Amino acid sequence: MSAINDLDKSARLMKDDFAWLSVDYFFIGKSYLALNKQDLAISNFKKIDSIFNKHEFILPELREN
């Protein structure tokens, strides 16, 4: 949970940088998946999808999303 808390803090700081914000959401989602909290993971993955739809950009590292 420590990683999730740190990533949440980072996401708040990155609110103006959609590319890095999507990285935070991705790793938060992956962390929740590792904790078998699929609903929370999917919620974060949907945020990345929303960013992609708005900006039509995604980092190649996040394509598995």
Side-chain angles (χ1 to χ4, degrees):
M1 291 299 282
S2 174
I4 293 171
N5 291 334
D6 290 343
L7 289 164
D8 277 334
K9 289 178 190 175
S10 175
R12 285 188 293 252
L13 295 173
M14 296 294 163
K15 64 182 177 179
D16 296 326
D17 186 340
F18 67 87
W20 282 109
L21 183 59
S22 63
V23 171
D24 284 334
Y25 290 147
F26 178 74
F27 285 108
I28 292 169
K30 295 282 275 187
S31 296
Y32 278 128
L33 275 181
L35 295 171
N36 290 324
K37 296 184 177 188
Q38 291 183 343
D39 290 343
L40 293 171
I42 291 170
S43 173
N44 281 278
F45 296 148
K46 285 182 177 181
K47 291 176 185 179
I48 300 166
D49 189 54
S50 177
I51 290 170
F52 174 75
N53 287 329
K54 181 177 181 180
H55 299 282
E56 297 183 2
F57 175 84
I58 192 164
L59 292 168
E61 297 84 2
L62 306 182
R63 287 193 181 148
E64 91 176 63
N65 182 64

